[in-house]
Structure formats: structure tokens, C-alpha cells
Amino acid sequence: MALAQEQHLADTWQTGGLKPRACDCGGTVFAILHQRVMADMRRRQFLGGTAAMLAPFLGLGLSTGNAQQPQAQDRPLLLTNLRLFDGTGKAPRAGMQVLVTGATITALLPAGEKVDGAQVIDCRGKLVMPGLIDAHWHTMLAAISQVTAMTSDVGYLYLVAAQEARRTLLRGFTAVRDPGGPAFALKRAIDEGIVDGPRIFPSGAMISQTSGHGDFRLRSDIPRAANAPLSLVESTGVAMIADGDAEVLRRVREQLMLGATQIKMLAGGGVASLYDPLDSTQYSERELRAGVEAAADWGTYVMAHVYTPKGIQRAIRAGVRSIEHGQLADEESARMMRDAGTWWSLQPFLQDEDSNVYPDAARKASQRIVSEGTVKAYALAQKYGIRTGWGTDILFNAKNTPTQGRQLAKLTRFYDPLTLLAQATGQNGELLALSGQRAPYPGALGRLAPGALADLLVADGDPAKNLDFLARPEDKLLLIMKNGRIYKDTLSAPLAG
């Protein structure tokens, strides 16, 4: 019976019968993708497989769009004639200049002050702001549809991820926190300048209990003997199954060894999960605390996927520093987050034009519950003054990746634009900084201040009114800089008329 069910599931995916949806981190599509990847890798000989996987890192076949080759600056840059949004939420102010030396903002100067030897960039009175930060972005998995995952060579999958990293940067996102997936190699390629893309704070494989949100095995894989090999999803670094304190410690320490900047543990069910219902609570407090302690020993923290009050409260008691999703939180859970100083990483899971389409009544009902909870969650976060991060969690949905900026802009229904923009810049920078010594980039992110990293945008928009300009990065972002290097510059073009 189990094999028949699995064949029916595979047939359904082949015909596109199931759709990606909000937080599909634990959806069956992960299993299908990584079974496909592993099958391809096993069929290939070493030379051919290696060449395919290296293709994106050699820059083959990437569409540059309106991007430019990043310019390494051999002298300071002085940005003048601008309105400055510094990432704190204060209104933009005029009368300032921004001095960039190398990869760092070295000074905010009064307008008109000269800097000997500096290259001057006239910003034409436009907005200068920090680069955007998405605190929940799956760099390897956002732009791959379920059909592509089922039918493409593994080399193509890596090419898509590399190309999407470039597009993410050109949407103005200069840093992301990756909440799960094999992103270590892509991060390295970006950091070494082989591929263009945002800074990545990788979590590595998500840590899940048996039957949890990250258990992607099929029914025929159960039970697993004590000495059985890892499942395909585990061996490819998407998720690791760990039960009991000792196994959690082992799996968390492995991700830290590989370079995780924070750890992702799955403490509850999800909308799209095959086995675990949305209302389920996962991991005991003792198991969660084992992961928290292992991360703390390396100077970093645990982020937890969870929706329900019971799961949220258990995670907080265990010392989790960031609640991912949490749309079903109640007043008590919100108070606990406030009192413990826990971050609330929320995503715009709303039933609108950006929502995924569900083919069955059960998942539509779960989507509606989460959507209604999202509205309540934003209200609770503001009522209790909880430190709130922002992210999209676009996953297996190439159609939605271009909406990344729009999904920030539309949240002005809950926040004033300046407060919201501060969430996606300065506040998210503080969230990333929880990684402490594991943070891979020395310097502050999300702020325009002396000593901060030189990640900034020049934009045609007024965040005191709205953030609609972020939904149109192709024509509203005039300059994109990361680490002091310019990746897009239309300011140098002649003025119209």
C-alpha cells in the first residue's frame, strides 16, 4: 500500500498537481527534489558531474540583465546631493554626504565638505539607504519549481540558484539569512567574487525530529534501523533527523563545523507537510535546549520554525532566540517573547496576489488559518513591542521571487513606511548580528553609519510616504553597492532632457 501511495504522489508531482506554498520547508517537494539530485549525481561519472556542478561558479550562462561587473574602487567614494535614510527608522535627512573607503562607510559628512582624492557620485537628490536584508530566504531553493526539480539535470539546478542570487542582489537585497538548505558552496562562491549575490548567513541542514517538519522520508523508508544510512535529504544537507539529546548535539555540531552562522530547529508542524499537522508540537524542551546549548558554545543561536502557542512557549523556555513564523501566537506567547527578548521573524503569509494556490480543501483551510493569524501576529508584535524581523520565505516558486520587494512594500497596511523599512534594514541587521563571532562579515549591516559595511542603495522614492519604489527595482534602484563595490549604476547616465 505504501508503495502505491508513493507512486501516486510521484505521478501527482509529474503532472503539477501539488503547488508550492507558504513555508513549504517541510513539504514533500524537498524529498522529490533531492531524490532527483542524488539520482543524477549517482548516474554521472566524476568528471561530468563535477563540471555540471561547477558551471554556475564559473559564470556560465548567466543573464546579466542591467547588472554591471562590480567595480573595485582604488580611491574613496563620496556620495553627495542626497537624502539619507540611515536604517534607524528616522525620516530621511538632507545636508549629508556618505564617504566609502574600501568595503566600509568611513564617515557621514556635512554637505559641501571636500575629500581630497575621492571619486564623487552625484545622487541627484535621490534617497540613499542601506541595502535590504531578507531574514528568511532559501538561496538554493527559492527559484526552482516542482516541475523543474523533477525533470532537470543537477547542474541546471545549481545554475538557477546562482542566477537567482544575482537577481536577488539586483532587487536591492545585499544580505539574506538562509533558514535551511545546502547553501554553503554558493555562499563561498559569492564571497570569493566568483558569483554575484547577497551576503548569506547559512543555517545549513534543518534539524528535525522523526516525523517532524523536516522528515521528508517516504513511508517505505520507515522504520529506519539503527545502523541504516542517511536518507537522501539528509545526505544532501537539506535536513537532518535527530532524536534525543545526544543526536541533536551531534547534528547541530556538524552544521557548525560546516559553517552554519546559526542553527535552524523545527519545533512544530507546517501548512504543507505530508506527515506533521500544523497544530503538532515537535521536540521536547530538553532536546531543544541541547541544540541551544551547542549553538551557544559556538557563540551563536537557534532559530525555530513553529506556529502554535505551545510550541512557541516551549522554544522560548529552551532558549531559542528567534521564532520563525509563529502566526498562531496568543497573548501569553507574545508576552513571553517580549520578556525574554526573543525575536519574532514574521513573513507576509496573506491571502493575496502573492499567495500560492492550493489544490485541496485541507491545505486551503490551513492557509486561511495562517493568513488570519498573520494579521493578528503583526498586531501582537506591535502591541508588546517585540523585536520583529522581516523575511519572505519564498520557496519553490520562481514566479514569486521577483515580488521580494513588493512583499515588503505591501506591509504598510500594518506599519508606517519608515518603521517597516527599518525592519528590513537596521533591525534585520541586528537580527543577523545574533550570530556573534560566527557572523562571517566583520562590521554592521543594515545601517549607514561610520564603521558599517558599505552595502547601500540609491533609490528614486520617498519612504516617508510609501515603499512602492521597492517593488520596481529595475527602474527605481539607481545604484546598488555591496561591500564597497558597485553592481549597478544608472546615475552616470545623462539626465533626460
Side-chain angles (χ1 to χ4, degrees), residues 147-209:
V147 174
T148 299
M150 288 288 296
T151 59
S152 302
D153 292 337
V154 64
Y156 178 77
L157 302 181
Y158 281 91
L159 281 166
V160 171
Q163 186 179 60
E164 189 58 41
R166 186 181 186 87
R167 290 172 174 165
T168 303
L169 179 61
L170 293 178
R171 289 192 290 268
F173 289 87
T174 54
V176 298
R177 185 178 60 155
D178 190 303
F184 296 122
L186 180 58
K187 174 192 177 299
R188 177 180 177 181
I190 291 171
D191 290 348
E192 292 180 358
I194 301 171
V195 173
D196 295 341
R199 303 177 190 271
I200 299 176
F201 282 67
S203 301
M206 299 174 283
I207 312 299
S208 171
Q209 70 174 41

Side-chain angles (χ1 to χ4, degrees), residues 51 77 84 277 284 359-360 374 377 379 391 443 446 457 475 487:
L77 291 174
L84 182 75
S284 68
D360 60 285
T374 298
L457 313 174
D475 61 336
Y487 290 81

Side-chain angles (χ1 to χ4, degrees), residues 300-378:
T300 187
Y301 69 101
V302 169
M303 55 194 291
H305 161 103
V306 63
Y307 281 99
T308 66
K310 181 179 178 181
I312 292 170
Q313 293 171 29
R314 180 178 291 182
I316 294 171
R317 288 193 299 269
V320 165
R321 299 291 304 278
S322 177
I323 299 297
E324 304 300 308
H325 315 313
Q327 272 88 349
L328 306 185
D330 58 10
E331 298 269 349
E332 182 180 359
S333 303
R335 285 192 294 268
M336 286 183 67
M337 278 190 268
R338 177 198 62 192
D339 295 344
T342 306
W343 281 80
W344 198 350
S345 174
L346 281 166
Q347 301 77 36
F349 294 159
L350 301 164
Q351 288 185 300
D352 58 15
E353 69 275 11
D354 299 321
S355 297
N356 294 303
V357 178
Y358 296 86
D360 60 285
R363 287 177 173 83
K364 288 179 181 178
S366 294
Q367 181 191 36
R368 183 172 59 254
I369 291 170
V370 170
S371 176
E372 293 169 355
T374 298
V375 176
K376 181 180 178 182
Y378 281 118

Side-chain angles (χ1 to χ4, degrees), residues 74-78 99-100 114-120:
D74 55 3
R75 56 188 178 129
L77 291 174
L78 184 64
L99 180 64
V100 174
K114 305 295 184 183
V115 177
D116 292 339
Q119 177 184 341
V120 176

Side-chain angles (χ1 to χ4, degrees), residues 52-65:
M53 286 185 286
L54 286 178
F57 307 127
L58 296 175
L60 302 178
L62 291 183
S63 173
T64 59

